[in-house]
């Protein structure tokens, strides 16, 4: 079993926000919900009643739902936030699965209009490929003595993740990484040109609900060995320069609006 995360990003419109919010009300996220955070802590039953009352999604807002799936903790994070003169929707769903298809609502979410991109990945692997703080290793009882070290801008010793091909980078409210499975659509191609994707060997074009996506099936997170996984992640990142592009966006713009203005998104 693997701790799998599904990160979906949409450009908000009247149709998709209605479908996404209704999917939360209808519990299409697969796990059994228990508690909910929406400005305050609620049981899921009480929290969903408060959630139903929200009508103005032009205001940035977020919802966090906790529950259980296959006897393991699960979560959903729903966020609407400003993206220049648009709004972006993020839906993060985390489940412990035997296989990707055990999340039966995946195809439902992929078919919701104006999907920008989707990353499907092993949450624990990405966490420790990305973590740089020594104290977090110590708290988790993980050894870091054999890991490469570097200094941060304040001169503190941290883990050097520069050659961790499974790491992620957060930029312009998107978590970029070489995930097991990835979907990309317009206007993501203003961040990475579609021809760069098409020239990579593990890419195909798929149509979902009349939207064309580039689908990258990089590796099988359940069955492929770690050497193959890292080699394919490195090949994808070397080819697309995805993390370099994410770092550039993060470091060269003070905010999301400026970055997206540059990209003309």
């Amino acid at each position: 079993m693997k701790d799998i995360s599904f990160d979906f990003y949409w450009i908000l419109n009247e149709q998709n926000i209605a479908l996404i919010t209704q999917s939360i009300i209808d519990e299409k996220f697969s796990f059994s919900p228990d508690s909910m955070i929406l400005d305050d802590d609620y049981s899921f039953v009480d929290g969903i009643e408060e959630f139903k009352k929200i009508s103005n999604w032009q205001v940035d807002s977020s919802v966090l739902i906790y529950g259980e799936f296959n006897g393991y903790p699960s979560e959903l994070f729903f966020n609407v936030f400003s993206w220049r003169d648009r709004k972006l929707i993020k839906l993060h769903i985390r489940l412990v699965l035997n296989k990707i298809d055990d999340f039966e609502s995946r195809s439902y979410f992929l078919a919701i209009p104006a999907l920008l991109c989707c990353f499907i990945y092993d949450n624990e692997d990405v966490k420790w490929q990305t973590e740089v703080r020594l104290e977090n290793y110590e708290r988790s009882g993980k050894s870091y003595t054999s890991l490469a070290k570097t200094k941060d801008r304040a001169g503190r010793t941290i883990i050097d993740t520069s050659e961790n091909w499974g790491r992620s980078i957060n930029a312009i409210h998107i978590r970029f990484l070489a995930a097991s499975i990835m979907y990309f659509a317009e206007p993501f191609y203003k961040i990475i040109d579609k021809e760069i994707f098409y020239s990579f060997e593990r890419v195909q074009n798929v149509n979902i609900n009349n939207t064309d996506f580039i689908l990258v099936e990089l590796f099988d997170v359940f069955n492929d060995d770690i050497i193959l996984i890292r080699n394919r992640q490195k090949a994808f990142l070397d080819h697309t320069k995805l993390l370099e592009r994410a770092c550039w966006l993060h470091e060269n713009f003070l905010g999301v609006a400026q970055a997206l203005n540059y990209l003309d998104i």
Side-chain angles (χ1 to χ4, degrees):
M1 302 183 82
K2 293 282 186 178
D3 180 4
I4 303 297
S5 287
F6 300 79
D7 288 354
F8 302 90
Y9 299 88
W10 292 268
I11 296 172
L12 183 148
N13 61 40
E14 290 184 4
Q15 182 181 10
N16 64 22
I17 191 63
L19 290 169
I20 295 164
T21 54
Q22 190 61 46
S23 75
I24 294 173
I25 293 167
D26 293 342
E27 302 179 31
K28 284 189 176 292
F29 40 80
S30 294
F31 63 84
S32 299
D34 177 39
S35 60
M36 185 170 180
I37 299 174
L38 176 65
D39 298 327
D40 203 350
D41 292 335
Y42 294 90
S43 69
F44 178 77
V45 173
D46 292 337
I48 208 68
E49 291 305 313
E50 293 299 313
F51 181 74
K52 290 176 183 177
K53 297 175 185 177
I54 300 175
S55 59
N56 181 16
W57 294 108
Q58 295 307 309
V59 177
D60 291 6
S61 56
S62 62
V63 172
L64 183 58
I65 299 172
Y66 294 106
E68 184 179 287
F69 185 72
N70 286 334
Y72 293 92
S74 302
E75 66 182 30
L76 176 149
F77 175 68
F78 166 82
N79 187 209
V80 176
F81 53 88
S82 301
W83 221 49
R84 196 187 170 193
D85 57 348
R86 306 188 190 188
K87 293 285 182 175
L88 191 71
I89 306 167
K90 177 178 181 178
L91 187 67
H92 164 85
I93 298 174
R94 181 177 173 184
L95 304 165
V96 175
L97 304 174
N98 287 305
K99 58 183 184 297
I100 295 295
D101 288 344
D102 285 348
F103 178 36
E104 296 178 354
S105 295
R106 175 175 59 139
S107 58
Y108 173 87
F109 289 113
L110 289 170
I112 292 176
L115 183 69
L116 176 69
C117 57
C118 172
F119 295 91
I120 302 171
Y121 55 92
D122 180 336
N123 191 72
E124 283 297 301
D125 184 56
V126 174
K127 174 182 177 180
W128 293 109
Q129 282 281 288
T130 306
E131 183 58 67
V132 298
R133 299 180 184 87
L134 303 186
E135 58 268 28
N136 287 341
Y137 276 83
E138 292 166 356
R139 289 192 193 101
S140 298
K142 287 182 172 288
S143 174
Y144 55 80
T145 55
S146 63
L147 301 179
K149 314 293 192 305
T150 188
K151 299 285 187 180
D152 65 13
R153 292 178 179 178
R156 296 167 295 197
T157 299
I158 59 171
I159 304 299
D160 182 357
T161 62
S162 60
E163 294 191 5
N164 287 6
W165 313 119
R167 73 189 187 279
S168 67
I169 291 176
N170 289 297
I172 61 171
H173 289 308
I174 293 174
R175 188 176 198 177
F176 294 85
L177 71 156
S180 173
I181 300 172
M182 297 168 275
Y183 294 82
F184 302 101
E186 294 283 3
F188 195 93
Y189 308 137
K190 291 179 181 177
I191 299 173
I192 303 292
D193 189 275
K194 67 168 62 177
E195 295 306 319
I196 293 175
F197 286 120
Y198 281 135
S199 58
F200 187 71
E201 62 181 354
R202 304 194 65 81
V203 165
Q204 57 182 300
N205 197 62
V206 297
N207 186 279
I208 302 173
N209 196 26
N210 298 316
T211 299
D212 287 325
F213 289 92
I214 287 175
L215 167 61
V216 183
E217 295 184 294
L218 198 57
F219 54 87
D220 183 336
V221 71
F222 294 95
N223 298 307
D224 287 340
D225 67 69
I226 196 63
I227 294 175
L228 183 149
I229 289 172
R230 296 290 183 248
N231 286 340
R232 288 190 178 169
Q233 287 176 320
K234 183 179 187 301
F236 178 78
L237 294 176
D238 285 347
H239 184 83
T240 61
K241 307 299 182 188
L242 181 67
L243 297 189
E244 287 90 335
R245 187 63 166 165
C247 283
W248 185 84
L249 289 168
H250 178 74
E251 293 175 359
N252 285 274
F253 296 96
L254 294 175
V256 176
Q258 286 181 301
L260 298 171
N261 185 57
Y262 169 82
L263 294 167
D264 192 30
I265 293 177

